[in-house]
């Protein structure tokens, strides 16, 4: 087990390096000059050259990448072109808000997805199964930004039950686990949780239905094992694959919330990334993408390490 853990940790190094290369290159191959947003219209050629030299844009791309990667390893992601503030501080503040939103959405989406999946798999090919499957397909198919707009129109504009935008009263971005702040996070968390809930529901439903149809379950029931005992065996067989799917969806919750955070004006990494794209703020764009990608990599690493602990039958070559 220790050798497997060390192997998986070593695999992360080339993956993280590849992610850093992709993050750097994707931003630089985009059309347009990022400095045009902050340069005066009447800037002279000397002023333009001096600003490019200040941000290192006058150097070859490999040199820029080496400097950027070396600084990133020290926690320095540069300074925002638009605001002049350190990118690391901007991303750190936004990541905290995104983690809070993702954690709340996971508390809603994953338990409901697992529960609905077990119910549908247990009552396979019945009316209950068809109803749950229709609900899951709808959750996966409906655009989450559209669902967010509908929820705002119903629960904020029409009924006035919940606030429509922001992370706290008075436009505050500081989070606190109290009723007032929970009212602000409820709508974006529900919107963000719908897609993972649908995917987990369909996955667990297929797994449970397949396992209940296998011979060993019939043998357990023939031996007089109680329903709870059979359920324990089903859970043991369902857990490894479910963990893999949950790990992928954790990455979605962390990195796929850009539209939802924009709709609800939630001050997280998605909202920060949206602003960086429209402002062509390269340092902020690179830093945000890198942090989100690394979160996705390490979330899947944790799932890989947890799977053999949950099911020791899993053999790794």
């Amino acid at each position: 087990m220790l050798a497997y853990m060390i192997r998986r940790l070593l695999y992360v190094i080339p993956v993280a390096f590849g992610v850093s290369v992709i993050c750097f290159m994707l931003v630089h191959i985009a059309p347009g000059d990022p400095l045009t947003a902050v340069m005066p219209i009447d800037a002279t050629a000397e002023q333009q050259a001096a600003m490019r030299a200040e941000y290192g844009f006058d150097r070859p791309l490999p040199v820029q990448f080496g400097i950027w990667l070396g600084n990133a390893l020290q926690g320095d992601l540069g300074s925002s072109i638009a605001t002049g503030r350190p990118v690391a501080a901007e991303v750190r503040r936004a990541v905290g808000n995104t983690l809070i939103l993702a954690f709340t959405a996971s508390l809603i989406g994953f338990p409901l997805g697992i529960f609905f999946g077990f119910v549908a798999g247990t009552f396979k090919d019945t009316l209950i199964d068809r109803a749950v499957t229709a609900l899951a397909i709808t959750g996966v198919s409906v655009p989450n930004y559209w669902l967010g707009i509908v929820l705002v129109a119903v629960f904020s504009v029409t009924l006035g039950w919940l606030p429509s935008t922001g992370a706290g009263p008075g436009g505050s971005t500081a989070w606190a686990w109290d009723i007032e702040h929970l009212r602000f996070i409820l709508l974006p968390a529900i919107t963000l949780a719908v897609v993972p809930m649908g995917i987990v529901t369909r996955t667990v439903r297929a797994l449970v239905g397949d396992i209940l149809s296998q011979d060993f379950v019939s043998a357990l029931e023939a031996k007089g094992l109680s329903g709870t005992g059979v359920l324990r065996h089903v859970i043991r067989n369902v857990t490894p694959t479910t963990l893999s799917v949950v790990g992928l969806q954790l990455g979605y919750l962390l990195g796929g919330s850009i539209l939802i955070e924009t709709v609800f004006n939630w001050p997280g990494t998605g909202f920060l990334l949206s602003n960086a794209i429209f402002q062509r703020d390269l340092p902020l764009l690179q830093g945000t993408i890198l942090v989100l990608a690394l979160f996705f990599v390490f979330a899947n690493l944790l799932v890989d390490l947890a799977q053999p602990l949950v099911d020791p039958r899993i053999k790794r070559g």
Side-chain angles (χ1 to χ4, degrees):
M1 182 63 191
L2 180 60
Y4 167 71
M5 293 177 66
I6 294 174
R7 222 169 30 243
R8 293 304 303 170
L9 289 171
L10 291 176
Y11 289 161
V12 168
I13 296 174
V15 172
F17 178 77
V19 164
S20 66
V21 172
I22 293 173
C23 290
F24 182 83
M25 293 307 300
L26 280 178
V27 170
H28 277 274
I29 64 177
D33 187 346
L35 295 180
T36 54
V38 292
M39 279 187 188
I41 299 177
D42 57 348
T44 64
E46 291 77 12
Q47 290 174 326
Q48 294 178 13
M51 184 165 287
R52 285 192 173 86
E54 180 182 350
Y55 285 95
F57 293 153
D58 60 332
R59 301 175 183 178
L61 278 182
V63 176
Q64 290 186 44
F65 173 72
I67 295 173
W68 175 75
L69 183 60
N71 291 335
L73 291 174
Q74 302 174 47
D76 180 12
L77 298 175
S79 299
S80 168
I81 294 176
T83 65
R85 292 192 290 266
V87 171
E90 297 272 0
V91 173
R92 191 183 306 116
R93 188 182 307 110
V95 163
N97 290 326
T98 294
L99 287 175
I100 291 170
L101 179 59
F103 174 73
T104 308
S106 65
L107 290 180
I108 298 171
F110 294 149
L112 285 177
I114 293 171
F115 171 75
F116 287 143
F118 263 97
V119 170
T122 303
F123 298 97
K124 190 175 180 180
D125 297 328
T126 65
L127 184 61
I128 295 176
D129 177 27
R130 286 193 287 271
V132 172
T133 301
L135 178 65
I137 292 175
T138 302
V140 174
S141 304
V142 171
N144 50 19
Y145 65 89
W146 178 84
L147 177 61
I149 294 172
V150 171
L151 291 179
V152 168
V154 174
F155 293 100
S156 299
V157 178
T158 304
L159 299 176
W161 291 353
L162 296 169
S164 58
T165 59
S172 171
T173 58
W175 179 258
W177 290 100
D178 55 31
I179 297 297
E180 194 60 36
H181 283 80
L182 288 175
R183 293 179 68 249
F184 279 86
I185 202 174
L186 194 56
L187 288 183
I190 291 174
T191 306
L192 187 60
V194 167
V195 171
M197 182 189 71
I199 293 174
V200 172
T201 297
R202 296 182 67 185
T203 302
V204 174
R205 181 258 180 198
L207 290 170
V208 172
D210 179 62
I211 291 170
L212 288 177
S213 64
Q214 293 184 12
D215 293 337
F216 82 92
V217 174
S218 301
L220 291 175
E221 293 172 342
K223 289 181 178 180
L225 193 65
S226 65
T228 305
V230 173
L231 180 62
R232 213 164 32 240
H233 284 274
V234 172
I235 291 174
R236 190 177 298 128
N237 283 273
V238 166
T239 301
T241 305
T242 304
L243 272 178
S244 298
V245 175
V246 167
L248 291 173
Q249 294 311 304
L250 277 175
Y252 163 79
L253 291 176
L254 293 171
S257 59
I258 177 171
L259 292 176
I260 295 174
E261 291 186 359
T262 302
V263 168
F264 291 98
N265 201 26
W266 183 267
T269 52
F271 188 71
L272 187 68
L273 189 62
S274 174
N275 289 337
I277 290 172
F278 285 112
Q279 295 172 353
R280 288 282 296 159
D281 193 337
L282 283 195
L284 186 59
L285 197 58
Q286 288 172 332
T288 307
I289 293 174
L290 178 65
V291 170
L292 290 177
L294 290 179
F295 263 117
F296 188 85
V297 169
F298 284 105
N300 283 277
L301 173 64
L302 292 177
V303 171
D304 283 343
L305 296 177
Q307 279 184 318
L309 298 176
V310 173
D311 190 352
R313 298 172 301 170
I314 295 177
K315 302 294 183 182
R316 302 292 184 180

